[in-house]
Amino acid sequence: MSLSYTGFHTMFEVFVPPGQLRPFNDIPIKKIGFATLEEQVVIARHWLDVCQSTHVCLTQPSPLLPKRLIDVSPQDSQTQVALYESAGQTGRYACLSHCWGDSQSLCKSTEATLERNKQAIEWGLLPATFRDAIEFTRRLGLRYLWIDSICIIQDSSDDWIEQSALMADIYGRAYVTLCATSSASDDNGCFLATPELLSPHRIPCKSRNGTEYEVCVRGWPELQHISSWETQTLRGTDAAATKTRLGFPFLEDFSSLNDFPSRSDFPLLTRAWCFQERLLSPRLLHFTKGEIM
């Protein structure tokens, strides 16, 4: 449904929750909220299974592990994790793509903290984005997660030179890369609240015969979605103006939607270092405001 008046145009959605009467048959029945964490995990595992079994981006079933990873299996408690040195072992793992922002992470690996991190990394030392990524990695059934600030010794130039040269292997061999796409800082987390515009508002109404109903109204959800993952061709006025893009990373294509979603909605996509991570990874899960993609 759309609403227009001078100088303004918007779109919104009208629906009723499951189990409730509809005032008109044309009004759809939909869930009020976005997917819960459990539902997101089910969706993500389904996507990954389909990709692994049918797509051309097949990865090795048990690739060589990076030199260091976070072992997310429970240590002394359900929340504690530890830095693990793989010593040439093989297996599946996830990577995290994130914006450090102004987070003052206390869990970074340095010459001074390396041995401590190998013993255990206390949950309270991890910023919100790391905790969310660890929780999701566990729920995907994976044991290992690679995060740059923990798996690379931050104050060792030798380790940085060695590990930064292996980015193609680290991200290219990952089973999946988790992208904290809407988080400008590691303190924000991966699972962000649904924008107010897209949160449903309940409106009671009554028919002419006295039957009471309740309908929900929210901003049109399609406005928040990213364009197709498929390669698309944008044709200009002549052949020379034709260009091809890969959809999600190219936010300039949203200018026709008044820059919505804006660059501020996806700060990860403004980071040059993270651009290579998207290109190298065989599979990506983007965590945005209200949904995963």
Side-chain angles (χ1 to χ4, degrees), residues 269-284:
L269 304 188
T270 68
R271 308 295 297 176
W273 183 266
C274 298
F275 179 68
Q276 67 165 346
E277 297 168 356
R278 294 200 304 280
L279 293 182
L280 295 170
S281 301
R283 304 179 191 89
L284 303 161

Side-chain angles (χ1 to χ4, degrees), residues 75-198:
Q75 307 295 318
D76 292 336
S77 68
Q78 186 65 30
T79 55
Q80 195 178 72
V81 297
L83 184 63
Y84 177 74
E85 294 189 339
S86 64
Q89 292 177 280
T90 60
R92 281 183 173 177
Y93 63 95
C95 284
L96 176 65
S97 181
H98 63 112
C99 292
W100 290 32
D102 54 4
S103 174
Q104 301 298 316
S105 176
L106 300 177
C107 60
K108 291 188 294 185
S109 290
T110 63
E111 297 282 6
T113 64
L114 180 63
E115 290 304 316
R116 180 204 69 184
N117 285 353
K118 288 162 63 175
Q119 293 298 317
I121 303 174
E122 295 297 333
W123 197 249
L125 298 180
L126 297 162
T129 297
F130 293 8
R131 295 197 298 267
D132 288 348
I134 289 168
E135 178 65 20
F136 210 82
T137 299
R138 286 172 171 167
R139 288 172 180 260
L140 289 178
L142 300 174
R143 179 174 178 177
Y144 301 114
L145 172 66
W146 191 91
I147 300 178
D148 50 7
S149 60
I150 296 179
C151 298
I152 300 176
I153 304 173
Q154 297 301 300
D155 57 355
S156 170
S157 57
D158 290 341
D159 199 58
W160 255 106
I161 292 172
E162 176 188 80
Q163 294 300 303
S164 62
L166 298 174
M167 287 297 102
D169 291 334
I170 291 172
Y171 281 90
R173 292 172 178 166
Y175 182 63
V176 63
T177 294
L178 308 178
C179 305
T181 307
S182 290
S183 298
S185 166
D186 284 332
D187 292 332
N188 294 343
C190 295
F191 313 131
L192 302 183
T194 302
E196 180 63 24
L197 173 66
L198 301 175

Side-chain angles (χ1 to χ4, degrees), residues 161-260:
I161 292 172
E162 176 188 80
Q163 294 300 303
S164 62
L166 298 174
M167 287 297 102
D169 291 334
I170 291 172
Y171 281 90
R173 292 172 178 166
Y175 182 63
V176 63
T177 294
L178 308 178
C179 305
T181 307
S182 290
S183 298
S185 166
D186 284 332
D187 292 332
N188 294 343
C190 295
F191 313 131
L192 302 183
T194 302
E196 180 63 24
L197 173 66
L198 301 175
S199 298
H201 298 271
R202 296 174 180 265
I203 300 177
C205 57
K206 184 182 294 186
S207 68
R208 291 180 179 178
N209 65 11
T211 303
E212 294 184 348
Y213 302 93
E214 184 177 74
V215 298
C216 294
V217 179
R218 66 182 171 193
W220 186 245
E222 293 301 321
L223 287 180
Q224 78 160 348
H225 294 322
I226 307 306
S227 54
S228 174
W229 291 94
E230 300 297 328
T231 301
Q232 301 178 35
T233 300
L234 305 179
R235 299 192 177 278
T237 55
D238 52 52
T242 298
K243 67 173 183 177
T244 300
R245 64 172 170 84
L246 294 174
F248 190 53
F250 297 90
L251 295 181
E252 65 270 17
D253 296 324
F254 285 98
S255 58
S256 61
L257 293 179
N258 298 318
D259 200 29
F260 181 85

